[in-house]
Amino acid sequence: MEKTLSEYISLSKNIDDLKFEKKLKVAILSSFTLNGLNEILHVKCSELGIRYQSYLAGYNQYNQEFLNSQSDFYKFSPDVTFLVLDIRNFLGDNFHFPYNLSDDERKSLVKEKIHHLENIIQNFEKNSNSKLVITNFNIPSYSPNGIIESKSVFGFHEMIEEINKLLRNISKNNNWVYIYDFNQFISKYGEKNVFDYRQFHVGDIQIALNFVPHFGDELMGFIKPITGTNRKCIVLDLDNTIWGGIVGEDGFEGIQLDHTSNGKAFVDFQKELLSLWNQGVILAINSKNNFDDAMKVIREHPNMILREKNFASIQINWNDKAHNIKQITDEINIGLNSIVFFDDDKLNRERIRQEFPDVLTVELPDDPSQFSTILKDLNDFNVLQRTDEDVKRGQMYAQQRERKKLENSISSLDDFLQQLDIKVKMKKSNEFLIPRISQLTLKTNQFNLTTKRYQEEEIRTLANDKKFIVGCAQVLDKFGDNGITNVYIINKEDKTWIIDTFLLSCRVMGRGVEDAILSEILKDAKQNGISQIKAEFIPTQKNMPAENFLSDNGFKKDGSFWIYNLNNEIKSPNHLEVEIEK
């Protein structure tokens, strides 16, 4: 249940930001009065453990802030900027009197307005490394031409549609510009609800105060991937969650997964889940059930949408659900803060909330027709750019289950590693790889020496700097492609290289991949006449798996740094193949 604006304002006064490790600087610029949005984002960020700083431009001052390179806005240097515009201000008198202009004049007006926005964006690019999120424009139900609006040549609605189309094109051509679909926001909540004429006339308030929290929640859909606080795994109960009834009591034929109203609701929910799986969201099962009964439905029921291959972990047993959640995180090797939990049983939900507060436990009503809507309203699975690894993640985790089966069938770790036939492809960064490199720095917590976070623009800057090496590695084995799972950033000084960033996805930890990549970095440094490499391990609550990595690979502690003398012999794992792409 969304809090009220007054609740957010009250909560924002008592936030202790200094206790949070993650930091985010947010700028908000708007063409109308938008009171309360800053407090809402502050509270929501604090709930995610993010230290929030903000810059609020004056009323309708966005032009001055964007066009003046010395503005306080640019001096603030935000990580993300929200530019919230309204169609009334944007079109001026032409909002009410567009047909005072000829058809050609209306077309010229649209080009002029878009050119103005392009000019603003170009100035922004010159003066800021921030991501820019611009709202598009709602198409009002009102038209000065009434019922013959659709017969107008380049009419009022078509003008706004064209502006929105051109805005989309700007976003497609600029990696750091994103469009928030404000028109869809109006459609979702209703024009007569969001736009309150009384509030508008009192103070140019164009989003009714009781809907500003919903608007703030929508904008969090951008903040979560920027800060790496989005989630990637949905853990599902079975009975009365993805099908109706209890298979152990109602039997294979008796469950609701058919053409009844409830049955269709569960099928629809599964379709939404499969859509997310296709986009890279991991699915897992946590069910108290007879394994054979449940698996028969998953494997054989004609109306099942989700099949065994769609689940990265299957915990169907009579164990405590908290125990199963832990088994899932261990098997998939992800953190609890990556999980969203769906279960129809209130006691199970409360058990997980108490045991694992980092898990997002979704409150479900008794009516299954609401499940799909609740799932679609979650903004926790957004990404700033969908990479190959995102699209293939479901398939990759299915392959991971096969690796686990092999590992469990072999008693010797060395034999297991030899049989995997691991190949590591080391690559230098390029425009195609930069989004994935940034994504890994934002999301990787466990095997990460320094946990430095880099946005795409920052990676791009480092990659173009001759004093830095920005690289990554793709890991493949007999079961398939794990994708880009490693990132390393090297600061090249005259006789010393400094490892700024070294991380590895938890998917491939413990296979010697990290040792092989590090040995190649050491060899490269030696061939370039470098005498030593320095590295840091900066401990956090989550990166203990990387604690002994440097010492295990021959680095010696010297103050806050670890030093590797390149006169020493460089050892490499012999159970895998390394390929260095030129």
Side-chain angles (χ1 to χ4, degrees):
M1 186 92 176
E2 188 59 81
K3 301 180 187 71
T4 65
L5 180 57
S6 60
E7 287 175 318
Y8 277 112
I9 291 172
S10 177
L11 287 168
S12 69
K13 297 174 182 177
N14 299 305
I15 296 172
D16 179 12
D17 285 298
L18 296 178
K19 66 183 180 182
F20 302 132
E21 287 184 11
K22 287 182 183 285
K23 300 176 184 177
L24 184 71
K25 296 171 76 175
V26 175
I28 301 172
L29 300 92
S30 66
S31 61
F32 58 92
T33 303
L34 198 49
N35 293 337
L37 178 61
N38 182 52
E39 289 84 353
I40 290 163
L41 296 183
H42 192 180
V43 172
K44 286 182 176 290
C45 283
S46 72
E47 291 171 348
L48 296 172
I50 299 167
R51 188 186 305 177
Y52 176 89
Q53 292 177 272
S54 62
Y55 176 82
L56 304 180
Y59 169 75
N60 200 20
Q61 295 294 301
Y62 68 93
N63 277 307
Q64 296 89 320
E65 295 279 13
F66 273 84
L67 297 176
N68 177 8
S69 62
Q70 301 302 312
S71 67
D72 290 340
F73 161 59
Y74 287 127
K75 290 175 184 176
F76 175 69
S77 187
D79 299 306
V80 58
T81 297
F82 293 111
L83 177 57
V84 186
L85 304 176
D86 72 282
I87 194 62
R88 285 172 173 79
N89 179 284
F90 196 66
L91 291 180
D93 285 344
N94 294 303
F95 177 82
H96 286 101
F97 311 114
Y99 295 108
N100 287 353
L101 303 175
S102 69
D103 300 345
D104 288 339
E105 285 173 332
R106 288 196 297 276
K107 291 178 182 178
S108 295
L109 175 67
V110 166
K111 289 180 181 177
E112 174 192 326
K113 291 295 184 181
I114 283 296
H115 178 70
H116 176 66
L117 278 179
E118 287 175 330
N119 187 39
I120 283 176
I121 291 168
Q122 287 169 4
N123 273 275
F124 179 82
E125 183 181 15
K126 291 177 187 175
N127 296 295
S128 176
N129 285 323
S130 174
K131 295 187 184 302
L132 176 62
V133 179
I134 310 175
T135 57
N136 71 3
F137 297 99
N138 66 292
I139 301 170
S141 55
Y142 144 87
S143 165
N145 253 4
I147 62 172
I148 61 169
E149 167 64 24
S150 61
K151 292 185 174 293
S152 306
V153 176
F154 203 70
F156 176 59
H157 289 172
E158 196 173 350
M159 288 171 65
I160 303 172
E161 288 169 355
E162 181 67 12
I163 293 170
N164 286 345
K165 176 186 172 183
L166 294 171
L167 267 178
R168 282 197 303 273
N169 290 339
I170 291 172
S171 175
K172 289 174 183 177
N173 295 324
N174 295 276
N175 290 328
W176 42 273
V177 178
Y178 299 84
I179 302 300
Y180 170 68
D181 198 338
F182 187 67
N183 190 47
Q184 285 294 325
F185 178 77
I186 298 295
S187 296
K188 182 177 179 178
Y189 290 103
E191 183 181 31
K192 289 185 177 180
N193 296 319
V194 175
F195 188 82
D196 183 316
Y197 271 100
R198 181 180 295 277
Q199 292 182 24
F200 171 61
H201 292 312
V202 166
D204 195 16
I205 295 170
Q206 305 216 27
I207 301 177
L209 297 177
N210 54 325
F211 282 91
V212 177
H214 295 286
F215 181 62
D217 192 59
E218 296 275 322
L219 296 187
M220 288 299 296
F222 294 95
I223 287 177
K224 288 175 182 178
I226 287 171
T227 56
T229 51
N230 48 345
R231 296 173 187 262
K232 60 184 179 183
C233 178
I234 299 175
V235 176
L236 297 152
D237 179 40
L238 296 177
D239 292 333
N240 289 314
T241 301
I242 68 170
W243 61 63
I246 300 171
V247 68
E249 296 177 5
D250 300 319
F252 183 90
E253 292 82 8
I255 61 171
Q256 294 173 322
L257 202 57
D258 49 28
H259 300 296
T260 62
S261 59
N262 273 1
K264 286 191 284 187
F266 289 112
V267 169
D268 188 60
F269 183 47
Q270 287 196 37
K271 287 179 179 178
E272 296 294 342
L273 289 164
L274 182 59
S275 174
L276 287 173
W277 184 84
N278 286 331
Q279 296 167 50
V281 175
I282 307 164
L283 302 181
I285 294 173
N286 181 0
S287 172
K288 286 189 176 183
N289 231 314
N290 181 290
F291 182 85
D292 291 337
D293 289 344
M295 290 305 296
K296 181 177 174 65
V297 175
I298 292 168
R299 290 168 177 161
E300 301 177 21
H301 199 289
N303 296 327
M304 273 293 293
I305 304 299
L306 299 172
R307 296 296 186 184
E308 187 173 0
K309 70 176 184 179
N310 302 122
F311 298 103
S313 177
I314 297 175
Q315 302 297 320
I316 302 174
N317 49 50
W318 298 103
N319 296 335
D320 174 56
K321 292 222 167 178
H323 175 269
N324 281 348
I325 288 276
K326 193 68 177 66
Q327 289 294 111
I328 289 168
T329 60
D330 290 345
E331 182 176 348
I332 304 177
N333 212 349
I334 59 173
L336 291 164
N337 59 357
S338 294
I339 290 177
V340 177
F341 179 57
F342 279 84
D343 194 310
D344 69 293
D345 189 285
K346 292 180 181 178
L347 293 178
N348 288 331
R349 295 198 297 265
E350 188 57 31
R351 171 80 179 103
I352 298 303
R353 284 194 185 102
Q354 290 183 2
E355 185 72 18
F356 301 128
D358 285 347
V359 171
L360 174 58
T361 300
V362 178
E363 193 62 25
L364 288 180
D366 293 333
D367 180 3
S369 69
Q370 301 302 307
F371 290 6
S372 290
T373 300
I374 290 168
L375 178 62
K376 286 186 284 190
D377 281 347
L378 292 175
N379 60 10
D380 294 271
F381 305 114
N382 291 305
V383 292
L384 296 174
Q385 187 167 330
R386 188 153 282 112
T387 64
D388 277 354
E389 283 72 19
D390 292 323
V391 174
K392 296 175 182 175
R393 186 174 288 120
Q395 179 184 345
M396 289 175 180
Y397 276 96
Q399 294 164 356
Q400 186 77 343
R401 287 175 57 201
E402 296 302 313
R403 292 184 189 96
K404 276 288 181 185
K405 286 181 184 177
L406 176 63
E407 185 177 6
N408 293 335
S409 70
I410 298 174
S411 58
S412 165
L413 176 61
D414 289 340
D415 289 345
F416 167 66
L417 294 176
Q418 289 288 350
Q419 290 193 32
L420 275 180
D421 297 330
I422 301 170
K423 177 182 284 188
V424 178
K425 292 184 177 182
M426 295 179 64
K427 305 168 182 277
K428 292 288 171 59
S429 67
N430 57 43
E431 198 59 34
F432 175 74
L433 293 170
I434 282 172
R436 175 59 177 168
I437 290 171
S438 170
Q439 187 181 64
L440 281 169
T441 70
L442 293 171
K443 291 291 288 182
T444 307
N445 295 309
Q446 295 183 60
F447 198 99
N448 193 333
L449 288 180
T450 57
T451 56
K452 292 182 179 180
R453 312 298 187 183
Y454 289 110
Q455 301 295 333
E456 285 182 36
E457 295 78 16
E458 295 170 307
I459 294 292
R460 196 169 282 109
T461 299
L462 292 173
N464 291 325
D465 189 333
K466 293 181 179 179
K467 292 182 179 179
F468 285 86
I469 298 172
V470 180
C472 60
Q474 178 184 6
V475 180
L476 307 95
D477 60 32
K478 66 184 291 183
F479 293 107
D481 184 357
N482 289 279
I484 301 297
T485 50
N486 159 264
V487 170
Y488 55 91
I489 300 174
I490 311 295
N491 182 355
K492 299 190 294 182
E493 295 190 353
D494 290 339
K495 291 296 180 182
T496 301
W497 283 7
I498 300 171
I499 298 177
D500 172 274
T501 295
F502 190 99
L503 61 84
L504 189 75
S505 169
C506 53
R507 275 209 309 275
V508 294
M509 279 167 47
R511 300 178 198 169
V513 170
E514 59 272 36
D515 303 319
I517 295 168
L518 180 60
S519 71
E520 295 300 327
I521 293 171
L522 298 177
K523 291 174 188 176
D524 188 25
K526 192 169 186 175
Q527 288 173 3
N528 279 275
I530 303 301
S531 59
Q532 64 177 13
I533 281 194
K534 298 168 67 176
E536 278 185 289
F537 172 70
I538 302 174
T540 68
Q541 291 181 346
K542 297 178 180 177
N543 71 347
M544 287 303 105
E547 183 177 17
N548 298 319
F549 174 62
L550 296 171
S551 59
D552 288 347
N553 281 278
F555 282 72
K556 304 298 180 185
K557 190 77 184 289
D558 184 3
S560 62
F561 279 93
W562 290 82
I563 311 293
Y564 190 96
N565 187 329
L566 287 164
N567 292 324
N568 297 338
E569 179 187 0
I570 300 172
K571 296 180 180 179
S572 303
N574 58 15
H575 66 274
L576 47 73
E577 177 187 345
V578 179
E579 176 185 310
I580 300 174
E581 295 189 1
K582 302 298 184 185

